[in-house]
């Protein structure tokens, strides 16, 4: 690694597994002090221990981001205390995806998904972005999804929350960019932890794409590191598609 985030202080929500974990590990490898966050203390400790074993800096902050301003504020305050100062990088990664169609979704599920996927990052950004601006700048990276633009028959609720996050990315770029806070997003494609020798139903979703294969969490982490680094200093309000070409091109077999 090149130390692109050396000395930076980062908070990654939902970082005890999968994409969030890969982002936290990549940040630490690039020199950042990372706050790993999630509901599972055991998994959080495992991530932190793994980072420290490789010489990185990390701490765990347990958080159940239920959409309330209080929960988001508590996480921000704990992260700042663990970091010893402010937060330079915020990654709004935590999210839930209960399966279901529009017809099968009840109000409780609707409210819970919007609380975790939209309200929680909204109030966390509300808490952290002004502090970044007051300190001279920072960067916020949101996680969108390819299904926000290339719709599928199931998952309308989840897709709408990710569409909201991509819209907030642009709105926050306009609101906080002039104050030194860059806001961008990554829109992952079909990303799964590889299981050697086992096929996965998600493979059908990448048929006809330029990449022609499932993505790995590391692919998303690489993109997030780029957006967090000075190399992306002129990017504001961008949604970076990391989806193997799913939303951009179709490969038609001859």
């Amino acid at each position: 690694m090149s130390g692109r985030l050396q000395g930076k202080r980062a908070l990654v929500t939902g970082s005890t597994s999968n994409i969030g974990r890969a982002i936290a590990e990549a940040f630490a490898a690039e020199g950042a002090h990372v706050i790993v966050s999630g509901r599972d203390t055991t998994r959080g400790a495992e991530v932190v221990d793994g980072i420290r074993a490789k010489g990185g800096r990390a701490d765990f902050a347990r958080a159940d981001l239920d959409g309330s301003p209080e929960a988001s504020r508590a996480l921000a305050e704990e992260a700042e205390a663990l970091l010893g100062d402010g937060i330079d990088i915020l990654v709004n990664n935590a999210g839930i995806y209960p399966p279901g169609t529009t017809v099968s979704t009840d109000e409780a599920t609707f409210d819970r998904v919007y609380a975790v996927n939209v309200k929680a990052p909204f109030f966390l950004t509300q808490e952290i972005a002004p502090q970044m601006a007051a300190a001279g700048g920072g960067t916020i990276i949101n996680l969108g999804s390819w299904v926000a633009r290339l719709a599928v028959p199931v998952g309308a609720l989840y897709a709408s929350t990710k569409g909201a996050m991509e819209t907030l990315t642009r709105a926050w770029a306009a609101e906080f960019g002039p104050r030194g806070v860059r806001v961008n997003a990554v829109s992952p494609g079909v990303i799964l932890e590889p299981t050697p020798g086992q096929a996965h139903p998600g493979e059908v979703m990448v048929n006809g794409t330029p990449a022609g294969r499932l993505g790995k969490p590391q692919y998303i982490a690489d993109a997030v590191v780029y957006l967090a680094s000075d190399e992306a200093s002129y990017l504001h309000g961008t949604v970076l598609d990391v989806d193997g070409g799913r939303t951009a091109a179709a490969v038609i077999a001859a």
Side-chain angles (χ1 to χ4, degrees), residues 121-159:
F122 183 94
F123 288 118
L124 194 57
T125 299
Q126 181 188 79
E127 183 72 20
I128 292 174
Q131 296 180 29
M132 286 180 172
T139 183
I140 297 171
I141 301 157
N142 300 317
L143 270 291
S145 173
W146 67 281
V147 296
R149 274 162 291 138
L150 186 60
V152 295
V154 296
L157 178 59
Y158 175 81

Side-chain angles (χ1 to χ4, degrees), residues 115-216:
V116 175
N117 292 9
V118 181
K119 288 182 67 178
F122 183 94
F123 288 118
L124 194 57
T125 299
Q126 181 188 79
E127 183 72 20
I128 292 174
Q131 296 180 29
M132 286 180 172
T139 183
I140 297 171
I141 301 157
N142 300 317
L143 270 291
S145 173
W146 67 281
V147 296
R149 274 162 291 138
L150 186 60
V152 295
V154 296
L157 178 59
Y158 175 81
S160 70
T161 65
K162 290 305 181 179
M165 288 309 299
E166 293 188 7
T167 298
L168 284 171
T169 296
R170 293 182 284 271
W172 286 338
E175 182 176 357
F176 297 113
R179 300 168 62 186
V181 180
R182 293 190 300 107
V183 186
N184 293 288
V186 171
S187 177
V190 186
I191 307 296
L192 295 169
E193 293 280 8
T195 303
Q198 293 186 20
H200 192 281
E203 291 177 356
V204 71
M205 297 181 185
V206 296
N207 289 342
T209 66
R213 67 184 189 278
L214 296 172
K216 300 178 182 180

Side-chain angles (χ1 to χ4, degrees), residues 5-31:
L5 304 179
Q6 192 66 43
K8 298 295 185 181
R9 300 155 298 184
L11 168 60
V12 183
T13 67
S15 49
T16 61
S17 65
N18 204 21
I19 290 174
R21 176 172 184 164
I23 293 169
E25 291 171 344
F27 274 9
E30 291 286 357

Side-chain angles (χ1 to χ4, degrees), residues 11 22 32 46 74 79 81 103 105 108 142 160 163 189 197 205 215 217 226 236:
L11 168 60
E46 179 185 340
V103 174
T105 299
N142 300 317
S160 70
M205 297 181 185
Y226 165 67
H236 291 261

